Amino acid sequence: MRLFWVFLATGFAIPLFGQQFTVSASTLSNGMKVLVHEDHRIPSVAMYFFFKVGSRNERPGTTGVSHFFEHMMFNGAKKYGPKQFDVQMEKNGGRNNASTGPDLTTYTDWFPATALELMFDMESDRIRDLAFDPKIVESERGVVYSERRTAIDNNPFGVLFEQLTAAAFVAHPYHWPVVGWASDIESWTMDDLKAHFKMGYAPNNCVLVITGDVTQEQVQSLARKYLEPIPRQEGPPPVRTKEPEQLGERRVVIERPTELPIVGVAYHVPPTNHADEPALDLLAAVLSNGRTSRLYKRLVDDGQLATEVNMFNQPSLDPGLLFAILQVRQGVDPGKVEKAMFEEVDRVAHDGVTTAELSKARNQRLVALYENFKTIAGKADLIGTYEVYYGDYRKLMTAAQDLEKVTAADVQRVAAKYLSAKNRTVATLISGPEPSKESAGKESSQ
Amino acid sequence: VTRRLLAALAMAGAAIAADSSPTVRLPPHTRQSHANGVVLLLAPLAGVPMMTAQLTIRGGSESDPSGMAGLAALTAELLRSGTSKRSADQISQEFDSIGATLTTTASREAIFIRSDFLSRDTDKLIELFSDLYAHPAFPEQEFNKTLARRIDEARAAKDEMQLALASYFPSFFFPPQHPYARPMNGDELSLTKIKREDVVAYHKRMFVGKNLIVAVSGDFDSKALTSRLGKLPFLPGGQGFQGAKEIAPVKFEGSRLALIDKPDATQTYFSISQPGIERTNPDRVPMMLVNTLFGERFTSMLNEELRVNTGLTYGARSQVDRDRLTGAIAINTYTKSDSTVEAIDLALEVLKRLSEKGISEEQLASSKAYVKGLYPTQRLETDTQIATLLTELELFGLNAGEVDDLFSAIDAVTLPKANEVARRYYRSDNLQFLLIGNATAIREKVSKYAQKMKVIPGKDPGFVVPEF
């Protein structure tokens, strides 16, 4: 195997709040991108792997397999057998987690600098030679089902979010839940798992970010030794399906036992790397961030219609959704809450926002951005997220300026363009009888 | 969708591997005690141009008058509802406009008012905070609105089973007169009893110099800030809050089981608890090491059996209260209704194993490395963590040795000591079971666990478990 290290950029530094923020970037010969940021304040390291595979790369019948796979990655490989990843990690003072979304599966390790080589060894082992023990697959199926039961089936917000998203997308794979439909969780086969691994865990489909008490040279030499020998594979095929334009408002009603009703609204918005994204971000802040936001004032404070309102936009590679979730006060008609919310949204679209509101939203977002710079974990997350969603981590360096450039007219324009009645899906969760059985079908027994 | 709900919740701690730098130190800081009793803690931390300011008022839910659970937490939130100079709107406007956060929370021991803000806005923040804590007006209308919203929030908490379990726990575990026997944020029963005058009186009594701790950390010039804060008209000294003395730590004569009925549930959430330790207990370090192994990390005995080996749950853990008075050690997890008994049996078996067989030398070494390895990122990395840590030491009357000597205290724990602690605290008798789930499906099967059992309809108002 040819071993070489291609330098795309080294020591790329930008002045961020008066200090140099340096990231060195390189690509291994097998296509894995490696980004390093040194920070020696505490003797710890954050190591994040971003695999560009998620529920959008699934199909009906195997929904949830990306997330299931995230669990399997902790269940043993060739050199480090079952449980060893966690056992070794914890006994060396480290901790890990992993998460799966529609676009990405992310593995996050935090550990003392002394465990750096061990982590490279263990990570390369599982990326290259994961084991597929049928007994472990069955046990892990139970764990994932338990996760679904907790996060969705027994949680009114979980049910609402799942139904709302499914109604908003009729064609694109964002339609199904990341955790998977219950019947699919019961039915994945070993072949589904193996095929998914081969496709999603290709080194050329991965971005590695390391921040903390390391040197770039140390990381380079360990990456060459452990990760570069992993052979390149064909990554996931492009997602071909595009969501057709929505032609009118869609509505979903969910009946289940609940103390308070919930209203969820989802608007189709462009992907994260779209030019309108900063304006949409500030629009969401003006509408729902803080007690002086328009929706909080109108719905929670003045109107006493809702206990809380939250508007958020998840990063997405394909066109995604901007959500608003409102918990309705006791005795209030959900229709009234909804109407008040739409009036506020329309008011922005018709009359725009004030300079003070815009400046407030910018400051709020700036503080949130800076918060992430306080920790090595936050920085690893930011660097990787920008690299994946914008195709270039250096976009992070202009995040503050991009917010600066947004004008009040931009915010008004995106409100009118995306937050229209025709472009929205509304889900209402109201109190009703309990579901007759758990989600779907029988559950696998352990 | 994340792999570890647990990891995010777990406090854990751990730090540098044993063979590298073998210690951690409390970051440089100053501590000043003013004549009126106010304690001022400053810890500069260069890096991001931001700061954290945390005001702590001793008392917390411990100081809630009988029948008025949630008064401390409510008062904390109402500080932002208006002062003699500013309306609620103006206050929110002034914080929001500079992007500063403002959060108010309550614990058993104190209420906390915290802001994260850009260093350039320091003067503004000092002015706002001074106005908030010293001159709140508690306008009637804002009081009514906030109270009504908090009552609805308490109702909604019943839909989130984990939250509901935690809310029922105090009145289940502690005897009725115990200061910990009430939910921190109150419930619909206690909140409806609170009047505006109660809030005013609480503020007058509790917001005094002797109860106030101010901690600031982040990017600032220590000298300039010290002189700026030194000139503040802090509060009158007043009467410092003295919590109830611990006459006899909570103790049980027999096992009890309370089942909160939620007919729509497809899962059972349960907690198996027994008395633990208080924050300053001399056994706290060995206890931390034992509990890490038992239920505070992914490879813990509980998680290994209930999640990894059997797939019965998404996560199982053991939690040790670290409060002023003796609290609980509680096993917490959940499973589908059908496997309730299987999961409880297994949890009890793991508990028995720890208590009877103890831990091994290898396990102890692993726990030590884990606790030390994670400590820096969990307690010493950010301004907020540092302000929180300094406040905690002050609140519990602990000194810098709590951090500076932590690693040597960890190293000094021997296997016999750890096993003695395991035997003494992790017992299999007189256990207290609290369950939330579908009573029709499970009540008969779970009755075998305790000498006394009660079924409480989840629909009943409040988070109340009647006396057994």
Side-chain angles (χ1 to χ4, degrees):
Chain A
M1 186 151 314
R2 285 177 336 125
L3 301 181
F4 65 90
W5 185 280
V6 187
F7 283 93
L8 295 180
T10 305
F12 181 86
I14 56 116
L16 191 70
F17 31 79
Q19 298 184 1
Q20 292 298 104
F21 185 81
T22 307
V23 176
S24 68
S26 44
T27 303
L28 301 177
S29 61
N30 60 12
M32 187 184 286
K33 186 145 190 191
V34 183
L35 302 171
V36 183
H37 167 72
E38 295 183 24
D39 177 346
H40 303 284
R41 288 173 308 149
I42 53 169
S44 310
V45 181
M47 184 185 214
Y48 282 34
F49 287 86
F50 298 84
F51 290 95
K52 289 177 250 179
V53 65
S55 58
R56 78 195 261 280
N57 305 102
E58 296 163 358
R59 57 179 172 74
T62 63
T63 66
V65 74
S66 308
H67 170 248
F68 184 71
F69 215 85
E70 170 214 313
H71 284 241
M72 285 306 294
M73 283 290 275
F74 293 87
N75 287 333
K78 194 169 169 186
K79 180 170 174 189
Y80 295 93
K83 303 181 186 177
Q84 284 308 303
F85 191 93
D86 288 308
V87 168
Q88 291 300 327
M89 184 148 198
E90 293 190 349
K91 88 176 214 193
N92 282 280
R95 194 167 72 82
N96 63 66
N97 206 342
S99 67
T100 309
D103 303 320
L104 287 182
T105 311
T106 312
Y107 295 85
T108 49
D109 304 320
W110 307 277
F111 50 89
T114 46
L116 185 63
E117 180 152 10
L118 171 72
M119 289 315 303
F120 267 99
D121 192 19
M122 292 205 298
E123 286 288 6
S124 62
D125 185 39
R126 66 177 180 174
I127 295 170
R128 181 180 188 143
D129 293 310
L130 194 74
F132 293 86
D133 177 339
K135 257 177 68 191
I136 293 179
V137 169
E138 286 319 305
S139 169
E140 202 62 49
R141 218 190 274 273
V143 174
V144 169
Y145 213 122
S146 171
E147 186 174 355
R148 182 186 156 89
R149 211 181 289 116
T150 303
I152 297 179
D153 303 326
N154 280 271
N155 182 320
F157 287 97
V159 175
L160 178 100
F161 190 77
E162 181 174 279
Q163 294 291 318
L164 176 60
T165 307
F169 285 108
V170 295
H172 189 276
Y174 286 163
H175 166 78
W176 50 76
V178 171
V179 73
W181 298 117
S183 51
D184 291 353
I185 295 178
E186 289 172 354
S187 332
W188 301 307
T189 66
M190 197 58 106
D191 289 344
D192 294 332
L193 295 178
K194 288 186 175 164
H196 184 82
F197 180 56
K198 200 168 172 201
M199 162 184 89
Y201 290 74
N204 39 308
N205 194 40
C206 177
V207 174
L208 166 62
V209 183
I210 296 187
T211 58
D213 194 16
V214 296
T215 65
Q216 182 213 325
E217 294 75 22
Q218 234 181 331
V219 171
Q220 268 182 44
S221 97
L222 290 169
R224 279 199 197 114
K225 180 173 169 190
Y226 290 99
L227 296 170
E228 197 155 47
I230 301 170
R232 188 186 277 270
Q233 309 271 356
E234 210 160 319
V239 174
R240 277 183 285 207
T241 307
K242 291 191 168 54
E243 183 64 22
E245 191 188 340
Q246 187 166 328
L247 301 175
E249 182 187 78
R250 291 182 198 144
R251 289 198 163 258
V252 187
V253 176
I254 303 145
E255 290 183 52
R256 77 187 291 286
T258 185
E259 291 285 333
L260 302 178
I262 310 172
V263 174
V265 184
Y267 298 94
H268 288 282
V269 291
T272 301
N273 66 2
H274 191 274
D276 283 343
E277 206 272 338
L280 274 164
D281 189 30
L282 293 179
L283 169 64
V286 167
L287 282 170
S288 87
N289 200 350
R291 296 201 177 199
T292 56
S293 64
R294 293 204 179 185
L295 292 177
Y296 188 93
K297 283 241 26 115
R298 173 80 187 268
L299 302 173
V300 181
D301 197 24
D302 296 342
Q304 303 270 297
L305 301 171
T307 61
E308 60 178 311
V309 47
N310 188 14
M311 214 166 187
F312 57 94
N313 177 6
Q314 293 173 318
S316 67
L317 291 172
D318 297 324
L321 295 172
L322 176 67
F323 292 93
I325 307 286
L326 310 119
Q327 182 155 52
V328 180
R329 290 288 295 271
Q330 195 171 55
V332 173
D333 171 17
K336 199 173 162 191
V337 183
E338 200 186 280
K339 186 166 166 278
M341 176 190 148
F342 296 149
E343 281 171 15
E344 286 306 317
V345 168
D346 290 345
R347 207 153 65 80
V348 175
H350 291 140
D351 309 332
V353 298
T354 66
T355 324
E357 281 180 308
L358 188 62
S359 142
K360 173 184 75 176
R362 267 197 210 111
N363 284 335
Q364 287 171 327
R365 291 305 197 224
L366 193 66
V367 164
L369 180 70
Y370 282 6
E371 277 294 333
N372 275 312
F373 278 99
K374 287 182 179 179
T375 62
I376 53 175
K379 288 190 276 194
D381 189 47
L382 279 178
I383 294 167
T385 301
Y386 274 78
E387 174 65 23
V388 171
Y389 285 102
Y390 296 98
D392 188 347
Y393 70 93
R394 284 171 293 191
K395 185 79 178 150
L396 171 60
M397 317 307 173
T398 60
Q401 288 99 298
D402 292 342
L403 290 175
E404 273 317 310
K405 282 185 207 148
V406 176
T407 64
D410 292 331
V411 174
Q412 183 176 3
R413 177 181 58 78
V414 297
K417 184 168 173 189
Y418 301 108
L419 272 52
S420 67
K422 194 178 153 191
N423 192 35
R424 77 187 173 215
T425 303
V426 184
T428 312
L429 184 139
I430 53 172
S431 190
E434 52 212 71
S436 54
K437 56 184 178 174
E438 187 165 296
S439 300
K442 63 176 189 350
E443 182 177 349
S444 62
S445 56
Q446 300 309 308
Chain B
V1 179
T2 65
R3 177 174 177 240
R4 312 268 159 92
L5 214 53
L6 268 188
L9 302 170
M11 149 88 214
I16 309 164
D19 56 348
S20 75
S21 55
T23 194
V24 282
R25 296 202 73 79
L26 200 57
H29 66 281
T30 57
R31 179 190 185 279
Q32 291 167 21
S33 185
H34 289 240
N36 61 355
V38 175
V39 172
L40 184 57
L41 303 158
L42 300 183
L45 181 74
V48 180
M50 283 186 65
M51 289 163 65
T52 285
Q54 181 165 289
L55 260 58
T56 303
I57 292 96
R58 291 174 192 271
S61 68
E62 257 199 87
S63 62
D64 285 344
S66 171
M68 288 193 200
L71 177 60
L74 175 68
T75 306
E77 188 184 345
L78 284 172
L79 288 179
R80 61 178 305 157
S81 70
T83 68
S84 43
K85 299 199 273 202
R86 293 175 165 91
S87 69
D89 257 7
Q90 281 169 322
I91 292 168
S92 294
Q93 189 63 46
E94 289 184 50
F95 276 94
D96 282 359
S97 66
I98 54 175
T101 63
L102 176 61
T103 56
T104 55
T105 50
S107 75
R108 282 173 176 162
E109 287 81 18
I111 55 185
F112 307 95
I113 304 146
R114 201 184 93 203
S115 180
D116 295 319
F117 54 96
L118 296 169
S119 299
R120 68 180 187 212
D121 299 318
T122 305
D123 285 348
K124 178 87 198 160
L125 248 294
I126 292 175
E127 209 268 304
L128 274 168
F129 258 36
S130 316
D131 193 29
L132 252 58
Y133 74 72
H135 310 292
F138 303 118
E140 186 81 45
Q141 195 198 353
E142 297 294 331
F143 169 83
N144 291 336
K145 279 198 298 198
T146 305
L147 189 69
R149 178 169 47 73
R150 285 182 88 96
I151 291 170
D152 268 5
E153 282 168 356
R155 287 190 183 115
K158 293 201 166 189
D159 280 337
E160 293 180 51
M161 293 174 76
Q162 203 143 16
L163 195 54
L165 190 77
S167 306
Y168 279 105
F169 188 81
S171 90
F172 168 67
F173 189 79
F174 295 99
Q177 296 317 314
H178 196 285
Y180 293 173
R182 37 212 181 211
M184 223 98 75
N185 289 314
D187 60 21
E188 53 197 295
L189 298 173
S190 69
L191 291 172
T192 42
K193 287 193 195 122
I194 298 174
K195 305 269 171 292
R196 178 181 170 272
E197 301 82 75
D198 300 318
V199 172
V200 173
Y202 183 88
H203 176 263
K204 195 170 173 204
R205 186 170 83 247
M206 302 300 291
F207 281 63
V208 294
K210 286 196 177 117
N211 280 339
L212 182 63
I213 302 164
V214 181
V216 186
S217 182
D219 187 20
F220 57 82
D221 177 83
S222 216
K223 225 171 153 183
L225 189 64
T226 306
S227 97
R228 177 82 177 77
L229 290 174
K231 286 181 206 123
L232 279 183
F234 275 119
L235 304 161
Q239 191 84 39
F241 175 73
Q242 298 290 331
K245 287 268 185 311
E246 187 151 67
I247 299 157
V250 58
K251 198 179 160 196
F252 299 97
E253 296 304 333
S255 52
R256 300 178 308 153
L257 187 148
L259 168 58
I260 315 295
D261 184 22
K262 199 164 161 40
D264 59 301
T266 59
Q267 290 183 304
T268 306
Y269 279 68
F270 63 88
S271 141
I272 306 172
S273 53
Q274 58 187 311
I277 57 172
E278 73 282 16
R279 177 68 180 83
T280 52
N281 189 299
D283 285 337
R284 62 189 181 275
V285 173
M287 188 83 173
M288 176 164 69
L289 297 174
V290 170
N291 200 60
T292 295
L293 293 169
F294 182 55
E296 258 182 296
R297 62 181 190 177
F298 193 76
T299 61
S300 72
M301 302 167 192
L302 283 170
N303 201 57
E304 166 112 351
E305 284 298 343
L306 279 100
R307 168 169 167 157
V308 181
N309 293 347
T310 58
L312 282 167
T313 183
Y314 180 60
R317 64 181 309 230
S318 162
Q319 193 175 340
V320 177
D321 287 348
R322 299 161 88 236
D323 291 307
R324 198 177 63 81
L325 305 176
T326 301
I329 301 174
I331 297 171
N332 284 308
T333 187
Y334 45 91
T335 190
K336 63 182 182 210
S337 302
D338 294 350
S339 53
T340 304
V341 168
E342 199 187 335
I344 296 180
D345 282 350
L346 194 52
L348 292 175
E349 191 187 310
V350 177
L351 174 64
K352 198 166 166 214
R353 208 184 305 154
L354 170 68
S355 161
E356 287 177 2
K357 300 205 174 129
I359 61 169
S360 68
E361 196 70 69
E362 195 190 347
Q363 284 176 307
L364 180 61
S366 172
S367 181
K368 288 178 175 181
Y370 182 78
V371 172
K372 292 199 282 187
L374 292 181
Y375 195 84
T377 48
Q378 293 186 328
R379 310 255 28 205
L380 299 172
E381 191 176 11
T382 70
D383 52 358
T384 310
Q385 288 171 345
I386 292 167
T388 303
L389 181 58
L390 291 173
T391 301
E392 188 183 318
L393 298 183
E394 191 65 36
L395 203 50
F396 291 105
L398 298 165
N399 58 37
E402 191 70 10
V403 178
D404 295 350
D405 305 333
L406 177 66
F407 282 18
S408 53
I410 288 172
D411 291 339
V413 176
T414 62
L415 188 61
K417 176 66 191 171
N419 279 328
E420 188 242 315
V421 162
R423 262 193 315 277
R424 177 141 43 102
Y425 294 101
Y426 294 80
R427 304 178 61 94
S428 291
D429 55 339
N430 295 336
L431 293 173
Q432 308 300 308
F433 298 81
L434 177 63
L435 284 67
I436 302 190
N438 182 342
T440 314
I442 62 171
R443 69 185 299 164
E444 274 180 36
K445 290 184 242 165
V446 300
S447 63
K448 66 172 181 172
Y449 292 114
Q451 291 147 327
K452 293 181 188 168
M453 173 166 161
K454 257 188 206 301
V455 180
I456 297 122
K459 277 277 161 206
D460 282 3
F463 295 113
V464 184
V465 178
E467 258 191 284
F468 275 70

